[in-house]
Amino acid sequence: MHLINQITRPLTNVLAGRPLLAILEVCLRCNSACGYCDLPLNQGRYEMTRDEIRRVFRHLYQEGLRFVFVQGGEPLVRRDLPEILEDLASIGFHLTLITNGTKFTESLIDRLEPLKVNISISLDTLHRERYQRIRGRDQLPEVLNGIELLQNYPHPKYLTCIVSQQNRHDVLDVARFARAHGCIPVIGAYHWNIERYGKVDLTLQYERTVARKVFEQVVESDLVPSGYFRQYLRDNITWLSGKSLAPCDAGKYSIAIDASGNVAPCLALKHAGNLLEQSLPQILSRFDTNRIRTCSDQSSCNMLCSRVIGSVLRHPIQAAITPTHLNPLERVNAGSP
């Protein structure tokens, strides 16, 4: 019976529009100060213990959730992160670690490998001064070193580049760099005035027509492989052209959980309850669908947060042909003139 529930509960969630994915802010601290991040970090707030996280996620697994995006803040500043990831993997979750890439070590990578953790590193430019302007810290050498340490990591690797006015001339170079290092490039757009998610930074703001051309150039380059991530590029072009996307699935197929246990439909929106005090069904019933719809109409943030499950379900063929690894020939020839 337990095995049958493991298999059927996620399918039931898909059919009923209930969460499969949790975005976990495993810590509320960060060693960067990105211009586009407006999350309330480094304020000394309570962070769940390892035992509390394990208990909460056991219940979430019983509720049918199967995927966890582990981020922060910067998740690698949490010293017990390897143990937390081991706990989540042992429960049965499929894990993706979302990081700025500044704190990788060989010993950490050795611990991640048997857990089959996907890794997504944020990298907006290969120019050190521009990196510091965007990220608020002079950390590019540490990021590049971390990517080198991951050169032979056998599980899916992604480099996520957020297009802004500061780095719009660097995006193709970042995509080529990603491919050459065995990473799938993921290109998203900077948003501002989007609830908690979009911090206003005048130095990062662009004209939509200018940013759209960047995405069009990436599509034409073929640096992003066919499948879901190519579809994501087209979604950004659609949004930057002033057209609407399909409704966001925040609170439907995914939820966001901060390190204190507070739950929101996504990282941008307000919390509706705490998993240390209430059940997930109780919290889901409090989500403000009107706020979700308003935020959805203002952004194209359909990759590393709340649109991802629904986007995959709406584009099953694109999802099916999406690669998770690049072979050596693809790495060498990526983006060649």
Side-chain angles (χ1 to χ4, degrees), residues 21-31 34 36-41 45 47-48 53 57 67-81 84-85 88 94-101 104 117-122 135 160 162 196-197 254-261 265-269 271 301 303-308:
L21 164 69
I23 300 107
L24 171 63
E25 293 177 282
V26 73
C27 68
L28 300 168
R29 293 163 282 141
C30 191
N31 61 341
C34 302
Y36 45 67
C37 177
D38 205 22
L39 296 175
L41 303 172
R45 293 184 301 155
E47 295 177 358
M48 289 187 289
I53 292 173
F57 275 84
F67 303 92
V68 184
F69 291 170
V70 181
Q71 58 183 66
E74 170 45 49
L76 295 182
V77 305
R78 180 153 179 164
R79 293 182 179 178
D80 60 351
L81 179 69
I84 291 171
L85 294 176
L88 294 176
H94 302 277
L95 304 175
T96 298
L97 176 65
I98 301 172
T99 171
N100 61 24
F104 278 113
V117 178
N118 299 347
I119 294 178
S120 177
I121 297 177
S122 300
R135 294 280 171 172
T160 300
I162 301 300
R196 296 193 312 153
Y197 173 77
S254 64
I255 55 174
I257 307 169
D258 77 4
S260 301
C266 78
L267 293 174
L269 299 175
H271 302 132
C301 57
M303 182 54 248
L304 294 178
C305 65
S306 303
R307 291 184 192 259
V308 59

Side-chain angles (χ1 to χ4, degrees), residues 1 48 53 119 126 159 188 247-248 279 318 333:
M1 184 65 68
M48 289 187 289
I53 292 173
I119 294 178
L126 298 170
L159 282 188
C248 183
S279 70
Q318 295 296 323
N333 293 340

Side-chain angles (χ1 to χ4, degrees), residues 238-288:
T238 297
W239 179 76
L240 290 166
S241 300
K243 301 175 183 178
S244 298
L245 296 173
C248 183
D249 301 294
K252 183 179 180 181
Y253 295 119
S254 64
I255 55 174
I257 307 169
D258 77 4
S260 301
N262 297 310
V263 181
C266 78
L267 293 174
L269 299 175
K270 293 182 179 179
H271 302 132
N274 189 289
L275 288 168
L276 296 177
E277 303 167 354
Q278 295 135 349
S279 70
L280 179 61
Q282 289 174 323
I283 296 171
L284 293 177
S285 69
R286 299 193 184 103
F287 283 171
D288 187 337

Side-chain angles (χ1 to χ4, degrees), residues 29 41 74-75 82 150 157 162 177 181 184 209 212 233 261 283 285-286 288 300 313 327 330:
R29 293 163 282 141
L41 303 172
E74 170 45 49
L150 289 164
K157 299 178 292 185
I162 301 300
F177 176 85
H181 287 77
I184 295 175
T209 55
R212 186 184 68 208
L233 289 173
I283 296 171
S285 69
R286 299 193 184 103
D288 187 337
S300 65
L313 294 175
N327 64 45
E330 287 175 313

Side-chain angles (χ1 to χ4, degrees), residues 107-230:
S107 61
L108 174 61
I109 294 169
D110 287 342
R111 293 189 68 174
L112 295 181
E113 186 169 327
L115 304 180
K116 301 181 180 179
V117 178
N118 299 347
I119 294 178
S120 177
I121 297 177
S122 300
L123 181 64
D124 301 324
T125 178
L126 298 170
H127 295 268
R128 189 167 179 174
E129 290 183 4
R130 280 199 287 277
Y131 184 97
Q132 184 171 2
R133 287 200 298 270
I134 295 169
R135 294 280 171 172
R137 300 285 188 274
D138 181 17
Q139 297 172 320
L140 182 58
E142 289 89 339
V143 179
L144 298 181
N145 179 66
I147 293 171
E148 288 296 329
L149 290 175
L150 289 164
Q151 188 72 31
N152 296 316
Y153 188 72
H155 308 302
K157 299 178 292 185
Y158 308 93
L159 282 188
T160 300
C161 177
I162 301 300
V163 177
S164 70
Q165 182 63 22
Q166 285 284 341
N167 72 329
R168 61 188 178 90
H169 296 297
D170 303 334
V171 176
L172 288 174
D173 287 340
V174 173
R176 292 189 187 98
F177 176 85
R179 295 293 299 264
H181 287 77
C183 301
I184 295 175
V186 181
I187 315 298
Y190 164 56
H191 300 84
W192 56 94
N193 280 331
I194 307 296
E195 303 281 348
R196 296 193 312 153
Y197 173 77
K199 182 179 181 180
V200 175
D201 187 321
L202 298 179
T203 69
L204 300 181
Q205 291 183 17
Y206 47 74
E207 295 292 332
R208 284 197 179 192
T209 55
V210 173
R212 186 184 68 208
K213 290 179 181 178
V214 175
F215 282 89
E216 290 170 344
Q217 290 171 350
V218 177
V219 171
E220 293 170 1
S221 73
D222 281 335
L223 287 164
V224 175
S226 297
Y228 177 74
F229 301 105
R230 184 84 60 84

